[in-house]
DNA sequence: CATAATACCTTGTATAGCAAGATATCTTGT
DNA sequence: ACAAGATATCTTGCTATACAAGGTATTATG
């Protein structure tokens, strides 16, 4: 996955970006991400969304996984950013900045009544 | 189409928002929108994207159309914002603002070191 | 009359988000 | 020991979108 192809896909999913960002502080497991995003307005997702998404990130080599025993319930599959994931994250966050700038220009230009 | 359903669909398409915004200054025809967006970074689209999208906006009652003769080439189908379209546009632009704020918070919180 | 330019529309493909359901493990109550 | 519930992952089936490519129609030009 390259930045250019990500730009193409951007409109179909800022979720990849969001997930990569919340993994920045350290490993999380799937359900934990769902719960964390429940607290963020407009970013609530379900399990049917997160697991295929994480599989994709893993297939793309952006994250790696590790099973960890839990003292309650099933073992958890923790996801961590790979080196590629970290690199892409930097690029993606930059691209997000210019993308929103483009759109905000468009909104201001037309909305501001020139 | 309501704001709530739009929020759900947001990640799948900021294009609706973009089109509604460029129609704010007045009517445009399909190909003209494609050409105008060619000049905006990251927002280049093709005819296979714009026409189904415009049909959808029209079916949703957000725009109305008008055929206008051209002195060169085929007659053009001009699209204008309906009253519903204008109302939704205001709501959408507001929702876009809070959506980007959510994401920027996430990026800053994790990227800025807590 | 053929070719090019303009403009609109449709078809087929790939992919994403999601609700709902399936599967597996561990804890708790009886 | 056993059923019920909680935790956690994964899959299936549906709907919708973006897009490349191709099709249709009108007018101008060589």
């Amino acid at each position: 996955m390259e930045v250019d192809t990500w730009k193409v896909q951007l409109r179909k999913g800022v979720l990849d970006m969001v997930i990569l960002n919340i993994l920045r502080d350290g490993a999380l497991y799937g359900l934990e991400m769902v719960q964390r995003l429940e607290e963020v307005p407009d970013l609530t997702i379900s399990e049917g969304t997160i697991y295929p998404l994480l599989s994709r990130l893993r297939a793309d080599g952006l994250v790696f996984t590790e099973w960890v025993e839990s003292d309650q319930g099933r073992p958890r599959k923790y996801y961590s950013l790979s080196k590629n994931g970290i690199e892409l994250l930097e690029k993606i966050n930059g691209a997000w900045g210019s993308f929103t700038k483009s759109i905000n220009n468009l909104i201001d230009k037309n909305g501001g009544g020139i």
Side-chain angles (χ1 to χ4, degrees), chain A:
Chain A
M1 199 202 236
E2 257 315 306
V3 191
D4 284 344
T5 59
W6 179 79
K7 279 185 182 176
V8 174
Q9 299 297 329
L10 175 64
R11 312 183 202 85
K12 289 199 241 174
V14 285
L15 273 186
D16 293 352
M17 178 179 69
V18 166
I19 295 301
L20 292 178
N21 268 288
I22 65 174
L23 286 179
R24 223 172 173 169
D25 282 340
L28 297 172
Y29 61 97
L31 208 55
E32 196 177 11
M33 303 186 205
V34 171
Q35 291 160 355
R36 185 164 300 198
L37 290 180
E38 261 168 23
E39 299 157 18
V40 183
D42 302 323
L43 287 183
T44 300
I45 57 175
S46 72
E47 302 157 49
T49 300
I50 195 82
Y51 289 114
L53 193 161
L54 289 172
S55 294
R56 249 181 287 133
L57 295 181
R58 185 154 171 262
D60 289 340
L62 304 172
V63 298
F64 61 91
T65 59
E66 196 183 5
W67 283 100
V68 176
E69 298 290 325
S70 164
D71 46 348
Q72 278 209 338
R74 288 197 56 179
R76 296 160 175 172
K77 198 181 195 174
Y78 277 86
Y79 291 80
S80 308
L81 289 179
S82 69
K83 198 186 162 210
N84 281 344
I86 294 175
E87 282 174 11
L88 186 73
L89 177 56
E90 299 300 326
K91 296 180 192 166
I92 277 182
N93 283 349
W96 166 253
S98 43
F99 180 76
T100 53
K101 190 178 290 182
S102 278
I103 293 189
N104 289 335
N105 278 344
L106 211 70
I107 293 178
D108 294 342
K109 192 190 295 178
N110 293 297
I114 283 230

